[in-house]
Amino acid sequence: MKDSYKPYRHLEFLTYSNIRSVIDFTDSEDVVNGFGLLVHWSDDPQERLLTFKINGDSSIKTELINKISQMMCTSNCAPSPDMFVWKTSSDILHSMPKTGGSIGPIDTGTIKRAFT
């Protein structure tokens, strides 16, 4: 086996230092329980928006956003986790070009296990 071989080439490791902001989308007809992560990898000159949708109630989304922003605050030695969270309308997604960077629904059971 070669050292440079990646069995899952479509997966990237995402650290808290790569996340620039957490975007909380307000619910609309098209998007319910959606949020995004604005990320920047050192080898990519552009920031990317990774979008997610939680299948389940909105309290899971709120808890997840709070956990991510708290960890970002800790990792960046920032004074408040609120400085990493943007609240915006999900209508902005319609005006953005599709780059294949979005991810579909997340199983809430997996999310609950990951953050407990």
Side-chain angles (χ1 to χ4, degrees):
M1 182 180 252
K2 295 180 183 179
D3 290 334
S4 63
Y5 175 73
K6 278 177 65 176
Y8 302 103
R9 288 174 283 185
H10 60 282
L11 296 179
E12 288 289 331
F13 186 70
L14 180 63
T15 63
Y16 289 110
S17 62
N18 294 118
I19 303 172
R20 299 292 185 242
S21 299
V22 181
I23 302 168
D24 184 3
F25 297 118
T26 56
D27 291 346
S28 68
E29 284 182 22
D30 299 333
V31 179
V32 177
N33 290 337
F35 72 98
L37 299 176
L38 189 63
V39 299
H40 182 262
W41 282 279
S42 58
D43 60 341
D44 190 352
Q46 290 185 325
E47 290 183 333
R48 305 277 180 192
L49 176 63
L50 304 177
T51 57
F52 302 89
K53 178 183 176 190
I54 300 289
N55 289 335
D57 67 49
S58 61
S59 65
I60 297 169
K61 178 182 99 166
T62 304
E63 182 181 347
L64 178 61
I65 288 173
N66 289 338
K67 290 271 188 184
I68 292 172
S69 62
Q70 287 171 357
M71 295 305 293
M72 289 174 62
C73 181
T74 302
S75 117
N76 292 312
C77 299
S80 170
D82 295 332
M83 65 187 293
F84 296 105
V85 180
W86 297 356
K87 293 185 186 284
T88 187
S89 168
S90 58
D91 295 334
I92 195 170
L93 295 173
H94 297 295
S95 63
M96 297 182 74
K98 304 290 188 253
T99 61
S102 60
I103 298 173
I106 299 173
D107 177 28
T108 56
T110 305
I111 293 297
K112 286 180 185 175
R113 287 189 300 273
F115 285 96
T116 54

